[in-house]
Amino acid sequence: MDYFLQQLINSLGWGSLNALMAAGYTMTFGIIGLVNFAHGEVMMVGALTAFWVMVFLQLPFWLGCLAALLGSIVVGLLIERIAFKPLRGAGMISLFITSLAASFGIRTLFIMLFTDRVKPFPVPDFLKGVLLLGNLILFKKTILIVLLTLFFCGLVIYFVKYTKTGAAMRAMSYDPEIAGTMGVPTERIIVVVFAMASFLAGLAAIFWGIKFGSVRCSMGVIMVVNAFIASVLGGIGNVSGAIVAGYIIGIGETLFVAYLPDHLVGLRPLFVWIVLFVLLIFKPSGLFRPNIK
Amino acid sequence: MSNESLLQLDTVSSGYGKKTIIREVSLDVPAGKIVTLLGANGVGKTTTLRTITGQIAPFAGRLLFQGRDISGLKPHSIAGLGVGYSPEGRRIFGNLTAYENLLVVANRIKSKKIFRENLQWVYTLFPRLGERSHQLSDTMSGGEQQMLAIGRALVSKPMLLLLDEPSLGLAPMVVKQIAETLVEINQAGVSILLVEQNAKMALQISHYAYVMDNGQVIQHGSCEELLQDKSIADIYLGIR
Ligand SMILES: Nc1ncnc2c1ncn2[C@@H]1O[C@H](COP(=O)(O)OP(=O)(O)OP(=O)(O)O)[C@@H](O)[C@H]1O
Ligand SMILES: [Mg+2]
């Protein structure tokens, strides 16, 4: 029992990362029908920016965090501008191909320039150490990651559910053409959505760094697969659904590995594919109501 | 028509891709009036409205709203000038509640206060929408959805209301109710361009009418004039 609880607690950090990535992923998926492979690279560039600021420039941790958020937002908006905007209305397949190209291009470029070796991500002392809860161990960093994730996810859910911009976002996911004729500045809303999604990816980058103590150029690959599957599981375009699904996948994956025999832990990535497989058979529209037609 | 015109189409041609659907259409919506555009299936009525809203750009001709050329403007800019639009087939946002459908339009309204006032006005016109404001719009009845589509077009208090077949698929009682509400809306100062298959209802409430065939305006006049023109009434309006 203790082993299970301990694994559950450990999984919350990874669950948070998945939730943040899935929330952003599903927003862009909903609004322009985009299967955005490059979302993982948006996170990676944020993480690398923080690494440069903290390790090369020797600047403090909080500046590194700020740099991660800015780095992710800038690269997210640039990808939108260069790769997706010219293809507005071109359909899902074209977007699928360009996002694959953007993802692959950015990752390859970064690996060429900086190699794929792990890079240290300095974590300040106040985040080190543990709290003891009976027999259970709580990492301070995990507590921070979970609390901040819930806080920012709460903000995003509130924004999407209760503001007029949020209503416009959901309307655009459903029928972008008519949303325009209702006076919604559709291009501006798309920029807002990409900025928000990239901000969440930047947060995920920081939390990845804090959780693992290092970052690398290929880190986006696993994340984006999980985010994609979580956004399908949560109902495409449904932000709260994606957050719940992100936690389900993150927690499920950790427990899956925890109960695998040691020589099989390499099967870790299999978990999300099993989830997707089961989902497509029993409930292809996801656990929650999608925000698209 | 001596009145000042709110919307003017001057020999407008437009269509999809390279294919011309409407040819040299000229029509005029005077401020404060209800104007109807009639015609059989597939003659280009919806295409005309989609050109006015900016969903498709005209190939030639000029579209003037309050004397200003609006051709080439983005749909949201045209809406922002004071054009409300209730599309064919309603096209409400089925993933949103009735209230949220109206909230989407708040994106082009200056202040929260004005939005709330307009919202009250819409709820007064269509009390059903107020009662059902938190219902998922996808689950509303056809009549309720049509009211929502019109309410959504009105919640910005537009100067011009474009309606594409608001009576489609509705029971006669509901059609009558909607027709009465349209007159009320018009009396509140909103000019209306109405596209209808239901010529009888349309001619009852309109001041002026245009008849389209094969992408062109073939006849126009006051409703009485059109009804007296036997060939028009027979062939195009399906009423005697
Ligand atoms: N998206 C489109 N692409 C190509 N052709 C189209 C498109 N939409 C409509 N058309 C064609 O344009 C012509 C006019 O269509 P439109 O929808 O304007 O007719 P309508 O007068 O509104 O008819 P109805 O009363 O049936 O609604 C039709 O021949 C139609 O097939
Ligand atoms: Mg039509």
Side-chain angles (χ1 to χ4, degrees), chain B residues 16 21 40-47 88 165 197:
Chain B
Y16 304 95
I21 301 285
N41 287 121
V43 297
K45 305 181 297 294
T46 297
T47 306
E88 183 173 15
E165 305 208 18
Q197 291 276 333

Side-chain angles (χ1 to χ4, degrees), chain A residues 164 170 175 177 182 291, chain B residues 55 85 91 94-95 100 107:
Chain A
K164 59 183 181 181
R170 287 180 288 145
D175 192 336
E177 187 185 22
M182 297 302 140
N291 243 323
Chain B
Q55 292 170 83
Y85 174 48
R91 302 278 290 268
N95 59 337
E100 290 170 340
N107 281 283

Side-chain angles (χ1 to χ4, degrees), chain B residues 7 17 41 43 64 83 88-89 103-104 106 109-111 114 127 151 166 180 187 194-195 207 215 228 233 235:
Chain B
L7 175 76
N41 287 121
V43 297
L64 302 176
V83 179
E88 183 173 15
L103 182 64
V104 169
I109 298 176
K110 295 275 164 352
S111 78
I114 296 177
E180 281 163 9
Q187 278 160 359
L194 173 64
V195 164
H207 301 104
Q228 271 152 27
I235 302 167

Side-chain angles (χ1 to χ4, degrees), chain A residues 172-222:
Chain A
M172 279 180 66
S173 302
Y174 196 82
D175 192 336
E177 187 185 22
I178 293 303
T181 66
M182 297 302 140
V184 172
T186 49
E187 286 301 319
R188 211 180 311 153
I189 301 282
I190 290 174
V191 170
V192 171
V193 165
F194 271 84
M196 283 171 64
S198 306
F199 172 85
L200 295 176
L203 271 183
I206 297 168
F207 294 164
W208 175 299
I210 292 175
K211 180 170 166 48
F212 299 111
S214 66
V215 297
R216 64 195 295 181
C217 293
S218 61
M219 65 194 272
V221 180
I222 321 159

